[in-house]
């Protein structure tokens, strides 16, 4: 990830957990397997096929209030201006410039809790959508068929490459160039294709919308906000190949991030030159994503050896039908890898915000304050890491089983899910190994 003051991204190389690695892996794998067999025994009909919940009329009126929406748009624009201002005109040192921390921690990591707690709020505050909306047109071009979500996958791949494979990804100038280029491309596309572009082409908005599917808040058919079962909201995930690519990219990149923190990897790559570093890390990232994607697609298609109910599948086939089950897994991986990084490096974003342009200011009165590395113990960090991975996989198993109950007949239900169960156990064991191995 970003090498700012200290290599704090995640705890990818932490080997001082209070439980042995083998015990953590076996326990987590057993939890997933037991969950599966319990579901197979007592859950034979789909329960998340309808996402209806309790209407929140008062909250809907507050959220839909024009003043609040204008405030959110203004906040989004202000955040973009501050980020670009600090990146372009602030200190050239990552240790003194808040822009890298704002991008990699406050935005990239902050999207997770924001979307889970507030639903699709990013859509309302997205500054790129706001800027494109200023160029109002009477008509827009139709987004070409067949590209749904793939522009967002491409943009996300570029961001993750910058984060994980490019050695200067934390340099303020690099951040400035990336954010400016990303903004120009998406604003231009938004002007040509209209608001529909951001739903399928803006990587950060698409990512936030995917996470928001697991929020307890969503819109009902009548337009009112509802308090719903989060897993029922998750089941409404679009069954598109682009979404499959997006989730596999997220899981694979997080896996590579953990691998790149292993001492064995750093020993092998520590003496590489700049070009070699980029090539090796790029290949490593691609291989990790390919392994995750291959394992998931193989498990989904092998599941198809059992006959599926007629007309039950969408355009993306079985991988698309089960892709929503990867969302809680991706969140669990992200929490495990980013939790300590966000807690520690996130403080740096606050401390540097007191003087974002390196002019000797003290806007927040935090001059001389340092990051508090002692407020989280290794035991708590380990508990959050393992707990997030296990919980994410259990929720993934529940989501996959509910979809299987919709697709397969009852007598075929257990047998049909064995391939997906094997993939889930592999993801669980691998995820825990990545955050515990040194």
């Amino acid at each position: 990830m970003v090498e700012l003051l200290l290599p704090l991204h995640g705890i990818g190389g932490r080997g001082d957990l209070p439980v042995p690695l083998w015990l953590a892996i076996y326990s987590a794998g057993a939890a997933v397997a037991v969950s599966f067999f319990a579901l197979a025994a007592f859950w034979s009909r789909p329960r998340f096929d309808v996402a209806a919940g309790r209407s929140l009329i008062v909250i809907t009126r507050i959220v839909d209030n024009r003043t609040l929406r204008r405030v959110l748009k203004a906040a989004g624009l202000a955040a973009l201006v501050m980020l670009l201002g600090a990146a372009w005109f602030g200190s050239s040192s990552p240790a003194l410039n808040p822009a890298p921390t704002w991008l990699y921690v406050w935005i990239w990591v902050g999207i997770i809790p924001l979307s889970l707690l507030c639903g699709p709020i990013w859509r309302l505050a997205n500054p790129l959508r706001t800027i494109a909306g200023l160029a109002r047109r009477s008509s827009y071009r139709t987004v070409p068929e067949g590209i749904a979500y793939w522009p967002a996958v491409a943009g996300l791949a570029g961001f993750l490459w910058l984060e994980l494979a490019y050695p200067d990804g934390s340099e303020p100038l690099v951040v400035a160039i990336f954010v400016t280029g990303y903004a120009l491309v998406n604003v231009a596309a938004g002007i040509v294709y209209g608001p529909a572009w951001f739903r399928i082409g803006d990587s950060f908005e698409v990512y936030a919308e995917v996470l928001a599917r697991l929020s307890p808040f969503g819109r009902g058919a009548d337009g009112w906000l509802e308090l719903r079962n989060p897993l029922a909201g998750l089941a409404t995930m679009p069954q598109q190949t682009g979404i499959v690519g997006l989730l596999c990219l997220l899981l694979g990149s997080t896996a590579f991030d953990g691998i790149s923190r292993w001492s064995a990897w750093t020993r092998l790559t520590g003496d590489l030159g700049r070009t070699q570093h980029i090539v090796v890390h790029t290949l490593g990232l691609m291989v990790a994503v390919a392994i995750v994607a291959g394992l998931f697609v193989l498990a989904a298609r092998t599941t198809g050896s059992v006959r599926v109910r007629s007309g039950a599948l969408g355009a993306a086939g079985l991988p698309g039908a089960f892709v929503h089950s990867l969302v809680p897994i991706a969140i669990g991986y992200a929490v495990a890898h980013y939790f300590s990084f966000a807690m520690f490096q996130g403080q740096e974003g606050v401390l540097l915000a007191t003087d974002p342009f390196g002019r000797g200011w003290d806007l927040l009165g935090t001059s001389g304050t340092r990051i508090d590395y002692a407020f989280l113990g290794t035991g708590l960090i380990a508990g959050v890491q393992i707990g997030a991975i296990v919980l994410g996989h259990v929720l993934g198993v529940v989501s996959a089983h509910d979809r299987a109950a919709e697709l397969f007949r009852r007598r075929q239900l257990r047998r049909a899910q064995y391939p997906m169960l094997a993939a889930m156990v592999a993801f669980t064991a691998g995820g825990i190994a990545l955050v515990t191995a040194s």
Side-chain angles (χ1 to χ4, degrees):
M1 176 72 174
V2 199
E3 299 296 333
L4 297 177
L5 299 183
L6 290 171
L8 291 173
H9 174 66
I11 298 292
R14 183 174 290 275
D16 56 351
L17 296 178
V19 293
L21 172 61
W22 65 268
L23 180 59
I25 291 177
Y26 287 167
S27 299
V32 173
V34 169
S35 300
F36 164 78
F37 288 107
L39 290 169
F42 302 108
W43 193 318
S44 59
R45 295 181 180 179
R47 303 184 184 185
F48 303 146
D49 53 342
V50 178
R54 179 182 177 184
S55 295
L56 303 172
I57 298 175
V58 175
I59 295 179
T60 302
R61 289 172 177 167
I62 295 173
V63 171
D64 291 345
N65 182 273
R66 289 186 178 181
T67 300
L68 178 59
R69 294 197 168 213
R70 288 171 180 169
V71 169
L72 289 173
K73 289 181 179 181
L77 287 172
L80 178 63
V81 170
M82 287 293 293
L83 174 62
L84 288 175
W88 280 112
F89 305 111
S91 172
S92 61
S93 170
L96 300 176
N97 193 311
T101 297
W102 288 349
L103 175 63
Y104 293 116
V105 182
W106 285 18
I107 296 178
W108 176 240
V109 181
I111 283 178
I112 299 173
L114 184 68
S115 300
L116 291 177
L117 294 175
C118 303
I121 192 173
W122 184 268
R123 183 196 313 158
L124 303 179
N126 186 350
L128 307 185
R129 180 186 279 267
T130 301
I131 295 171
L134 297 176
R136 296 184 181 275
R137 301 175 58 186
S138 57
S139 63
Y140 298 100
R141 292 186 183 179
T142 302
V143 178
E145 294 184 8
I147 72 166
Y149 300 104
W150 286 112
V153 176
L156 186 62
F159 171 78
L160 292 171
W161 176 84
L162 184 70
E163 180 189 24
L164 301 173
Y166 189 64
D168 299 325
S170 65
E171 294 295 325
L173 181 58
V174 174
V175 170
I177 294 172
F178 171 79
V179 175
T180 302
Y182 180 88
L184 290 175
V185 168
N186 280 279
V187 168
I191 293 174
V192 173
Y193 297 109
W197 168 261
F198 295 96
R199 291 195 294 268
I200 59 97
D202 182 349
S203 304
F204 288 90
E205 182 166 319
V206 171
Y207 176 49
E209 293 284 314
V210 166
L211 297 174
R213 299 277 177 177
L214 198 53
S215 169
F217 302 103
R219 293 276 180 176
D222 55 5
W224 296 107
L225 279 174
E226 294 180 338
L227 185 63
R228 67 189 183 187
N229 183 332
L231 294 181
L234 186 62
T236 64
M237 181 77 65
Q239 296 185 30
Q240 298 282 346
T241 55
I243 294 293
V244 177
L246 184 84
L247 267 300
C248 290
L249 175 62
L250 288 169
L251 284 176
S253 63
T254 308
F256 174 71
D257 181 37
I259 293 171
S260 67
R261 298 290 157 178
W262 285 358
S263 56
W265 176 275
T266 56
R267 284 197 300 270
L268 290 173
T269 62
D271 296 329
L272 295 178
R274 177 185 175 81
T275 302
Q276 292 174 317
H277 174 99
I278 294 174
V279 171
V280 170
H281 281 71
T282 300
L283 290 175
L285 177 60
M286 294 172 61
V287 169
V289 173
I291 290 174
V292 169
L295 183 59
F296 172 72
V297 172
L298 177 63
R301 290 182 174 173
T302 305
T303 297
S305 61
V306 176
R307 188 173 181 179
V308 179
R309 294 181 192 271
S310 177
L313 293 178
L318 282 164
F322 288 101
V323 70
H324 68 299
S325 66
L326 293 182
V327 175
I329 297 174
I331 293 173
Y333 272 32
V335 171
H337 282 266
Y338 293 127
F339 174 66
S340 61
F341 174 72
M343 292 296 100
F344 295 135
Q345 194 61 41
Q347 297 177 51
E348 187 72 5
V350 177
L351 300 179
L352 293 177
T354 197
D355 186 15
F357 303 109
R359 300 292 188 265
W361 303 339
D362 188 13
L363 300 178
L364 303 179
T366 59
S367 179
T369 307
R370 295 291 180 265
I371 297 176
D372 182 6
Y373 293 111
F375 84 105
L376 290 178
T378 56
L380 175 60
I381 293 174
V384 170
Q385 287 180 311
I386 295 179
I389 291 176
V390 174
L391 178 60
H393 283 80
V394 169
L395 293 179
V397 167
V398 172
S399 299
H401 177 83
D402 187 78
R403 180 56 52 83
E406 177 186 346
L407 297 175
F408 305 108
R409 301 185 186 281
R410 183 171 182 175
R411 64 177 179 274
Q412 302 170 322
L413 188 55
R414 180 178 295 183
R415 181 164 62 91
Q417 295 182 81
Y418 286 148
M420 191 59 66
L421 172 65
M424 294 284 186
V425 172
F427 287 151
T428 306
I432 290 180
L434 289 174
V435 298
T436 58
S438 59

